[in-house]
């Protein structure tokens, strides 16, 4: 290893991009190794929501019971596919143990500062070198039934009391006036004005160009196989390229930001990485091609908790480079624990359109054919942790591969962001850069410690 060895980032999603951004800002040389294409997984297919309102983790009271009921409902929005998978069973047991209010509030105290930091950093990024169709229009939760609308009031009370993050309550008639695109007769909604949204693929294309301009080396089609350690440090990364040829790159430090695939590095890292792939779907409807009346498109993003669907409008326009981006409506969400299955099931896409059509005047069934570019349908794996808190920071005693003493103190993890990778990316990247360079961290890193699941 030489003095000019780079920080090697394993993973070219939004988390890896943010880590590279802030490491280069701190003056470090960076190489990104991506097994597929930069920004091609969840960073591409998500709904583009930047949600400081999402303080409470997925493990909320009642969620586990809903998951168990889904075992017998193949078309349930939240689905646990029955199969022999002891690893998932263990993950589910840990998740179930946390489905209570005290655990949710404890997780929220870790999630909240990371979301707040990232939201503030996005204001700077979107106002500077990154193009992403950023819009600070807030986020609306809409409810069809009076019972669900009232029940969410307890969640809002928790957010207001413990995190000073209240929503604006909108009763039926007020909701219709606030968002005319919604169907009449809904019970009400809750509006979080501090949230924002952007267009994910535009962000990742812009971030790629920015990182390359900063001198970041990006290698795609690279499968990382492990790390060489010497004298207590990871000094190189072993990999195979797309043709199966082996290679090695020297490293001053290694950051594993591989999303739902981070468990592949568990043995090399030497800590337990309880990240389960929570499969999500999205469908992008281009207004001009799918004959959607612009009046049916909401003015701002919304969540429809009763059907577990997110709806994000994208205004489109022309980029700085002259590229035309059509106006579109992206539908997303659904949660399926079915292993690493990459298939896109039409019946799952139909859950998105049918769910959204209960609230908006859009087709109830997904289009029969794909968009010519092939990118209007997506399925991918969200990196879910049992406690809803990401793994960010140095790995205690990472093992590496083939080292003299088998330990490494310069291995870092930035993964397990659940459904909030986009919302948490800048804060994560900045924190990783601070930890790698020895700068004072702007957030307390203790709640995100990667070794917390290996203790005891």
């Amino acid at each position: 290893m030489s003095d000019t060895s780079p920080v090697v980032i394993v993973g070219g999603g939004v988390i890896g991009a943010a880590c590279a951004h802030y490491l280069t800002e701190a003056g470090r040389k960076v190489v990104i190794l991506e097994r597929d294409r930069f920004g091609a997984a969840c960073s591409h297919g998500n709904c583009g929501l930047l949600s400081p309102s999402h303080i409470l983790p997925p493990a909320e009271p009642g969620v586990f019971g809903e998951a168990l009921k889904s075992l017998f409902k193949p078309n349930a929005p939240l689905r646990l596919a029955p199969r022999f998978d002891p690893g998932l069973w263990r993950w589910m047991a840990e998740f179930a143990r946390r489905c209570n209010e005290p655990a949710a509030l404890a997780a929220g105290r870790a999630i909240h500062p990371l979301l707040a930091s990232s939201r503030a950093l996005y204001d700077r990024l979107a106002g500077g070198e990154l193009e992403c169709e950023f819009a600070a229009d807030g986020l609306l939760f809409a409810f069809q039934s009076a019972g669900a609308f009232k029940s969410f009031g307890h969640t809002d009370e928790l957010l207001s009391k413990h995190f000073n993050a209240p929503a604006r309550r909108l009763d039926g008639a007020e909701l219709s006036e606030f968002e005319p695109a919604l169907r009449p007769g809904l019970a009400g909604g809750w509006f979080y004005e501090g949230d924002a949204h952007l267009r994910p693929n535009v962000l990742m294309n812009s971030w790629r160009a920015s990182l390359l301009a900063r001198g970041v080396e990006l290698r795609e089609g690279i499968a990382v196989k492990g790390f060489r350690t010497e004298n207590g440090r990871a000094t190189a990364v072993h990999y195979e390229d797309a043709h199966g040829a082996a290679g090695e790159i020297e490293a001053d430090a290694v950051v594993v930001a591989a999303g739902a695939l981070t468990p592949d590095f568990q043995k090399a890292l030497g800590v337990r990485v309880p990240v389960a792939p929570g499969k999500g779907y999205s469908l992008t409807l281009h207004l001009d091609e799918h004959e959607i009346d612009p009046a049916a498109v909401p003015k701002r993003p919304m969540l429809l908790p009763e059907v577990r669907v997110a709806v994000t409008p994208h205004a489109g326009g022309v980029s700085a480079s002259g590229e035309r981006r059509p106006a579109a409506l992206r539908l997303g969400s659904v949660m399926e624990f079915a292993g690493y299955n990459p298939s896109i099931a039409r019946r799952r896409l139909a859950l998105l359109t049918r769910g959204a059509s209960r609230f908006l005047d859009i087709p109830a069934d997904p289009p029969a054919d794909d968009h010519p570019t092939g990118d209007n349908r997506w399925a991918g794996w969200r990196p879910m942790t049992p406690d809803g808190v990401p793994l960010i920071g140095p790995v205690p005693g990472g093992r590496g591969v083939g080292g003299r003493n088998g330990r490494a103190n310069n291995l870092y993890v930035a993964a397990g962001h659940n459904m909030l990778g986009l919302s948490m990316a800048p804060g994560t990247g900045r924190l990783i850069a601070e930890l790698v360079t020895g700068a004072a961290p702007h957030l307390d890193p203790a709640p995100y410690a990667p070794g917390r699941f290996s203790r005891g």
Side-chain angles (χ1 to χ4, degrees):
M1 182 185 69
S2 70
D3 293 338
T4 59
S5 295
V7 177
V8 176
I9 297 174
V10 181
V14 70
I15 300 298
C19 290
H21 178 96
Y22 289 101
L23 281 163
T24 57
E25 200 168 79
R28 302 302 293 270
K29 182 179 178 182
V30 174
V31 174
I32 298 175
L33 304 180
E34 165 57 42
R35 71 193 301 268
D36 189 7
R37 293 177 294 109
F38 180 85
C42 287
S43 302
H44 165 81
N46 68 78
C47 282
L49 302 179
L50 307 179
S51 303
S53 63
H54 281 44
I55 296 167
L56 297 180
E60 294 185 77
V63 170
F64 186 68
E66 184 181 348
L68 289 181
K69 292 177 183 177
S70 76
L71 284 170
F72 307 100
K73 298 179 181 179
N75 289 327
L78 173 61
R79 180 170 181 261
L80 176 60
R83 68 188 192 282
F84 182 76
D85 189 341
L88 179 60
W89 297 345
R90 181 182 180 185
W91 187 96
M92 280 291 176
E94 294 181 340
F95 180 85
R97 183 165 56 85
R98 293 174 169 89
C99 287
N100 58 77
E101 191 170 297
L105 290 174
R109 285 188 281 273
I111 293 169
H112 186 213
L114 186 57
L115 286 173
S117 166
S118 296
R119 177 65 182 82
L121 291 170
Y122 267 119
D123 281 337
R124 303 178 203 170
L125 292 169
E129 61 191 282
L130 297 185
E131 184 178 3
C132 56
E133 292 189 19
F134 177 85
D137 292 336
L139 178 65
L140 175 65
F141 287 66
F143 294 89
Q144 192 171 38
S145 73
F149 174 52
K150 181 179 178 181
S151 179
F152 191 83
H154 179 63
T155 298
D156 182 67
E157 182 181 348
L158 291 177
L159 296 178
S160 180
K161 177 180 178 181
H162 295 278
F163 304 102
N164 192 29
R168 173 184 168 189
R169 177 183 171 126
L170 300 163
D171 290 297
E174 190 177 6
L175 175 64
S176 295
E177 183 178 351
F178 184 75
E179 183 47 81
L182 286 167
R183 292 187 182 278
L186 299 182
W190 300 84
F191 178 61
Y192 290 91
E193 64 180 359
D195 286 22
H197 70 284
L198 51 76
R199 199 156 183 162
N201 62 308
V202 177
L203 170 71
M204 295 309 294
N205 289 341
S206 180
W207 224 334
R208 178 190 182 114
S210 172
L211 292 174
L212 293 176
R214 287 170 173 240
V216 171
E217 182 181 349
L218 172 60
R219 302 187 189 182
E220 297 173 304
I222 300 294
V224 172
K225 298 301 182 181
F227 319 117
R228 170 162 54 86
T229 60
E230 297 175 0
N231 301 319
R233 292 181 64 80
T235 57
V237 176
H238 301 300
Y239 66 85
E240 285 185 2
D241 65 19
H243 305 289
E248 180 180 276
I249 180 171
E250 291 189 340
D252 183 56
V254 179
V255 180
V256 178
L261 299 179
T262 302
D264 290 351
F265 303 96
Q266 187 167 254
K267 183 177 180 180
L269 291 169
V271 294
R272 183 165 168 258
V273 181
V275 171
K279 189 176 182 181
Y281 291 77
S282 72
L283 177 67
T284 303
L285 303 173
H286 298 279
L287 305 191
D288 53 352
E289 295 175 13
H290 296 109
E291 299 182 354
I292 295 176
D293 185 348
V297 177
K299 295 182 290 186
R300 57 186 59 80
M302 60 178 63
L303 290 184
L304 314 174
E306 291 158 292
V307 292
R308 291 188 175 273
V309 174
V311 180
T312 308
H314 294 303
V318 179
S319 70
S321 62
E323 174 192 9
R324 180 183 176 274
R325 295 190 294 262
L329 191 65
R330 176 163 286 185
L331 311 179
S333 198
V334 178
M335 180 68 76
E336 183 177 33
F337 288 95
Y340 292 94
N341 178 355
S343 64
I344 300 179
R346 181 175 170 81
R347 69 177 184 276
R348 304 299 285 174
L349 294 176
L351 290 175
L352 300 177
T353 52
R354 290 171 188 170
S357 69
R358 289 167 52 180
F359 294 79
L360 300 167
D361 185 17
I362 64 171
D365 292 310
D369 53 351
D370 283 335
H371 186 263
T373 62
D375 66 352
N376 70 319
R377 301 175 182 215
W378 173 87
W381 308 306
R382 306 181 185 100
M384 308 296 292
T385 59
D387 60 0
V389 179
L391 307 168
I392 308 169
V395 174
R399 298 185 183 280
V401 175
R404 194 175 305 166
N405 58 13
R407 315 297 282 182
N409 61 11
N410 60 338
L411 293 174
Y412 299 80
V413 174
H417 291 75
N418 297 271
M419 301 170 70
L420 296 172
L422 188 70
S423 292
M424 293 178 165
T428 297
R430 181 178 170 185
L431 182 57
I432 282 289
E434 290 160 348
L435 295 171
V436 170
T437 62
H442 76 291
L443 299 175
D444 178 7
Y448 319 111
R452 69 181 185 272
F453 291 101
S454 300
R455 297 167 184 162

